[in-house]
Short mmCIF file of all heavy atoms in Angstrom, two decimals:
data_model
loop_
_atom_site.label_atom_id
_atom_site.label_comp_id
_atom_site.label_asym_id
_atom_site.label_seq_id
_atom_site.Cartn_x
_atom_site.Cartn_y
_atom_site.Cartn_z
N ASP A 216 12.49 -9.02 2.24
CA ASP A 216 12.01 -9.88 1.15
C ASP A 216 10.88 -10.78 1.61
O ASP A 216 9.88 -10.96 0.90
CB ASP A 216 13.17 -10.73 0.60
CG ASP A 216 14.22 -9.89 -0.11
OD1 ASP A 216 13.86 -8.82 -0.64
OD2 ASP A 216 15.39 -10.29 -0.12
N GLU A 217 11.03 -11.35 2.80
CA GLU A 217 10.00 -12.23 3.33
C GLU A 217 8.73 -11.44 3.64
O GLU A 217 7.61 -11.92 3.42
CB GLU A 217 10.50 -12.92 4.60
CG GLU A 217 9.50 -13.89 5.22
CD GLU A 217 9.14 -15.04 4.32
OE1 GLU A 217 9.97 -15.38 3.43
OE2 GLU A 217 8.04 -15.60 4.47
N ALA A 218 8.90 -10.22 4.13
CA ALA A 218 7.74 -9.37 4.44
C ALA A 218 6.96 -9.04 3.18
O ALA A 218 5.73 -9.10 3.16
CB ALA A 218 8.19 -8.09 5.13
N VAL A 219 7.66 -8.71 2.11
CA VAL A 219 7.01 -8.41 0.82
C VAL A 219 6.24 -9.63 0.33
O VAL A 219 5.09 -9.54 -0.11
CB VAL A 219 8.04 -7.96 -0.22
CG1 VAL A 219 7.40 -7.89 -1.61
CG2 VAL A 219 8.63 -6.61 0.16
N LYS A 220 6.87 -10.79 0.39
CA LYS A 220 6.24 -12.02 -0.08
C LYS A 220 4.98 -12.32 0.72
O LYS A 220 3.94 -12.68 0.15
CB LYS A 220 7.23 -13.19 0.03
CG LYS A 220 6.69 -14.52 -0.50
CD LYS A 220 7.75 -15.60 -0.42
CE LYS A 220 7.27 -16.89 -1.06
NZ LYS A 220 6.01 -17.40 -0.46
N GLN A 221 5.04 -12.18 2.04
CA GLN A 221 3.88 -12.48 2.89
C GLN A 221 2.70 -11.56 2.57
O GLN A 221 1.56 -12.01 2.51
CB GLN A 221 4.27 -12.36 4.36
CG GLN A 221 5.19 -13.46 4.85
CD GLN A 221 5.54 -13.29 6.32
OE1 GLN A 221 5.14 -12.32 6.96
NE2 GLN A 221 6.30 -14.24 6.87
N VAL A 222 3.00 -10.29 2.39
CA VAL A 222 1.93 -9.33 2.12
C VAL A 222 1.25 -9.61 0.79
O VAL A 222 0.02 -9.66 0.69
CB VAL A 222 2.47 -7.88 2.14
CG1 VAL A 222 1.41 -6.91 1.61
CG2 VAL A 222 2.88 -7.49 3.55
N PHE A 223 2.04 -9.84 -0.25
CA PHE A 223 1.46 -10.07 -1.58
C PHE A 223 0.80 -11.44 -1.68
O PHE A 223 -0.21 -11.60 -2.38
CB PHE A 223 2.53 -9.90 -2.66
CG PHE A 223 2.76 -8.47 -3.05
CD1 PHE A 223 3.61 -7.66 -2.32
CD2 PHE A 223 2.10 -7.92 -4.14
CE1 PHE A 223 3.82 -6.35 -2.66
CE2 PHE A 223 2.30 -6.60 -4.50
CZ PHE A 223 3.16 -5.80 -3.75
N ASP A 224 1.35 -12.44 -1.00
CA ASP A 224 0.74 -13.77 -1.02
C ASP A 224 -0.61 -13.77 -0.33
O ASP A 224 -1.52 -14.52 -0.70
CB ASP A 224 1.66 -14.79 -0.35
CG ASP A 224 2.86 -15.16 -1.21
OD1 ASP A 224 2.87 -14.76 -2.39
OD2 ASP A 224 3.79 -15.81 -0.68
N SER A 225 -0.77 -12.93 0.70
CA SER A 225 -2.02 -12.88 1.45
C SER A 225 -3.04 -11.90 0.86
O SER A 225 -4.18 -11.84 1.31
CB SER A 225 -1.73 -12.50 2.90
OG SER A 225 -1.20 -11.18 2.98
N GLY A 226 -2.63 -11.13 -0.14
CA GLY A 226 -3.54 -10.17 -0.76
C GLY A 226 -3.68 -8.86 0.01
O GLY A 226 -4.53 -8.03 -0.32
N ARG A 227 -2.86 -8.67 1.03
CA ARG A 227 -2.98 -7.46 1.84
C ARG A 227 -2.39 -6.23 1.16
O ARG A 227 -2.49 -5.13 1.68
CB ARG A 227 -2.28 -7.67 3.19
CG ARG A 227 -3.03 -8.60 4.13
CD ARG A 227 -2.26 -8.76 5.43
NE ARG A 227 -1.02 -9.49 5.22
CZ ARG A 227 0.01 -9.47 6.07
NH1 ARG A 227 -0.05 -8.74 7.15
NH2 ARG A 227 1.10 -10.18 5.81
N GLU A 228 -1.79 -6.41 0.00
CA GLU A 228 -1.20 -5.26 -0.69
C GLU A 228 -2.25 -4.24 -1.11
O GLU A 228 -1.96 -3.05 -1.24
CB GLU A 228 -0.37 -5.71 -1.90
CG GLU A 228 -1.18 -6.11 -3.13
CD GLU A 228 -1.68 -7.54 -3.06
OE1 GLU A 228 -1.46 -8.19 -2.02
OE2 GLU A 228 -2.26 -8.01 -4.06
N GLU A 229 -3.51 -4.71 -1.32
CA GLU A 229 -4.55 -3.78 -1.75
C GLU A 229 -4.92 -2.81 -0.63
O GLU A 229 -5.29 -1.66 -0.89
CB GLU A 229 -5.78 -4.56 -2.21
CG GLU A 229 -5.56 -5.36 -3.49
CD GLU A 229 -4.99 -4.49 -4.62
OE1 GLU A 229 -5.46 -3.34 -4.77
OE2 GLU A 229 -4.08 -4.97 -5.31
N VAL A 230 -4.82 -3.27 0.61
CA VAL A 230 -5.06 -2.36 1.74
C VAL A 230 -3.99 -1.27 1.75
O VAL A 230 -4.30 -0.08 1.91
CB VAL A 230 -5.05 -3.13 3.07
CG1 VAL A 230 -5.18 -2.16 4.25
CG2 VAL A 230 -6.17 -4.15 3.10
N LEU A 231 -2.74 -1.66 1.56
CA LEU A 231 -1.66 -0.69 1.52
C LEU A 231 -1.78 0.22 0.31
O LEU A 231 -1.45 1.41 0.38
CB LEU A 231 -0.31 -1.41 1.50
CG LEU A 231 0.05 -2.21 2.76
CD1 LEU A 231 1.39 -2.90 2.59
CD2 LEU A 231 0.06 -1.31 3.98
N ARG A 232 -2.25 -0.33 -0.80
CA ARG A 232 -2.43 0.49 -2.01
C ARG A 232 -3.44 1.61 -1.74
O ARG A 232 -3.24 2.75 -2.13
CB ARG A 232 -2.90 -0.38 -3.18
CG ARG A 232 -2.76 0.33 -4.54
CD ARG A 232 -3.39 -0.50 -5.66
NE ARG A 232 -2.92 -1.86 -5.67
CZ ARG A 232 -1.78 -2.25 -6.24
NH1 ARG A 232 -1.02 -1.35 -6.83
NH2 ARG A 232 -1.42 -3.52 -6.22
N GLY A 233 -4.52 1.25 -1.05
CA GLY A 233 -5.52 2.26 -0.72
C GLY A 233 -4.97 3.31 0.22
O GLY A 233 -5.24 4.51 0.07
N ASP A 234 -4.19 2.87 1.22
CA ASP A 234 -3.60 3.83 2.16
C ASP A 234 -2.64 4.78 1.45
O ASP A 234 -2.65 5.99 1.70
CB ASP A 234 -2.84 3.08 3.26
CG ASP A 234 -3.78 2.33 4.20
OD1 ASP A 234 -4.99 2.65 4.21
OD2 ASP A 234 -3.30 1.43 4.92
N LEU A 235 -1.80 4.24 0.58
CA LEU A 235 -0.85 5.08 -0.14
C LEU A 235 -1.56 6.04 -1.10
O LEU A 235 -1.11 7.17 -1.30
CB LEU A 235 0.14 4.21 -0.91
CG LEU A 235 1.20 3.50 -0.07
CD1 LEU A 235 2.01 2.54 -0.92
CD2 LEU A 235 2.12 4.51 0.60
N ARG A 236 -2.66 5.59 -1.67
CA ARG A 236 -3.42 6.46 -2.58
C ARG A 236 -3.99 7.65 -1.82
O ARG A 236 -3.95 8.78 -2.29
CB ARG A 236 -4.55 5.65 -3.23
CG ARG A 236 -5.25 6.36 -4.38
CD ARG A 236 -6.09 5.37 -5.16
NE ARG A 236 -6.75 6.00 -6.29
CZ ARG A 236 -8.00 6.44 -6.29
NH1 ARG A 236 -8.74 6.29 -5.18
NH2 ARG A 236 -8.52 6.99 -7.35
N LEU A 237 -4.52 7.41 -0.61
CA LEU A 237 -5.03 8.50 0.21
C LEU A 237 -3.89 9.42 0.64
O LEU A 237 -4.06 10.64 0.74
CB LEU A 237 -5.76 7.96 1.43
CG LEU A 237 -7.07 7.20 1.18
CD1 LEU A 237 -7.71 6.82 2.51
CD2 LEU A 237 -8.03 8.03 0.34
N ARG A 238 -2.73 8.83 0.93
CA ARG A 238 -1.58 9.65 1.32
C ARG A 238 -1.17 10.57 0.16
O ARG A 238 -0.83 11.74 0.39
CB ARG A 238 -0.41 8.76 1.72
CG ARG A 238 0.79 9.54 2.26
CD ARG A 238 1.97 8.65 2.51
NE ARG A 238 1.69 7.62 3.49
CZ ARG A 238 2.59 6.71 3.88
NH1 ARG A 238 3.81 6.72 3.36
NH2 ARG A 238 2.26 5.80 4.78
N LYS A 239 -1.21 10.04 -1.06
CA LYS A 239 -0.89 10.88 -2.22
C LYS A 239 -1.88 12.03 -2.36
O LYS A 239 -1.50 13.16 -2.67
CB LYS A 239 -0.89 10.04 -3.50
CG LYS A 239 0.35 9.19 -3.71
CD LYS A 239 0.31 8.55 -5.08
CE LYS A 239 1.59 7.80 -5.38
NZ LYS A 239 1.61 7.24 -6.75
N ALA A 240 -3.15 11.72 -2.13
CA ALA A 240 -4.17 12.75 -2.22
C ALA A 240 -3.93 13.82 -1.15
O ALA A 240 -4.06 15.02 -1.41
CB ALA A 240 -5.56 12.14 -2.05
N LEU A 241 -3.58 13.39 0.07
CA LEU A 241 -3.30 14.33 1.14
C LEU A 241 -2.07 15.17 0.81
O LEU A 241 -2.02 16.37 1.13
CB LEU A 241 -3.10 13.58 2.46
CG LEU A 241 -2.78 14.43 3.69
CD1 LEU A 241 -3.85 15.50 3.90
CD2 LEU A 241 -2.67 13.55 4.92
N ASP A 242 -1.08 14.56 0.17
CA ASP A 242 0.10 15.31 -0.25
C ASP A 242 -0.29 16.45 -1.20
O ASP A 242 0.20 17.58 -1.07
CB ASP A 242 1.10 14.38 -0.96
CG ASP A 242 1.77 13.41 0.00
OD1 ASP A 242 1.75 13.68 1.22
OD2 ASP A 242 2.32 12.41 -0.47
N ARG A 243 -1.19 16.16 -2.13
CA ARG A 243 -1.63 17.18 -3.09
C ARG A 243 -2.43 18.28 -2.40
O ARG A 243 -2.25 19.47 -2.67
CB ARG A 243 -2.46 16.54 -4.20
CG ARG A 243 -1.67 15.72 -5.19
CD ARG A 243 -0.71 16.60 -5.98
NE ARG A 243 -1.41 17.64 -6.71
CZ ARG A 243 -1.88 17.50 -7.96
NH1 ARG A 243 -1.71 16.35 -8.59
NH2 ARG A 243 -2.47 18.50 -8.56
N VAL A 244 -3.31 17.87 -1.48
CA VAL A 244 -4.13 18.86 -0.78
C VAL A 244 -3.26 19.78 0.06
O VAL A 244 -3.40 21.01 0.02
CB VAL A 244 -5.16 18.15 0.13
CG1 VAL A 244 -5.83 19.15 1.06
CG2 VAL A 244 -6.21 17.45 -0.72
N SER A 245 -2.32 19.21 0.82
CA SER A 245 -1.47 20.02 1.68
C SER A 245 -0.51 20.88 0.87
O SER A 245 -0.15 21.99 1.28
CB SER A 245 -0.69 19.14 2.66
OG SER A 245 0.12 18.20 1.98
#
């Protein structure tokens, strides 16, 4: 819970969003 709060409070969730989006694309390609 604290980890989630820290990430979203600092705005770092957008970096993870981009990483997960690329992972989804790689899932489709593979």
Side-chain angles (χ1 to χ4, degrees):
D216 292 332
E217 181 62 25
V219 170
K220 183 177 185 303
Q221 289 180 357
V222 170
F223 277 84
D224 286 350
S225 64
R227 288 179 291 161
E228 77 277 4
E229 292 308 318
V230 175
L231 295 179
R232 195 187 309 277
D234 291 342
L235 286 173
R236 190 166 182 263
L237 293 184
R238 185 185 299 180
K239 282 188 175 184
L241 179 56
D242 289 341
R243 287 295 301 270
V244 169
S245 59

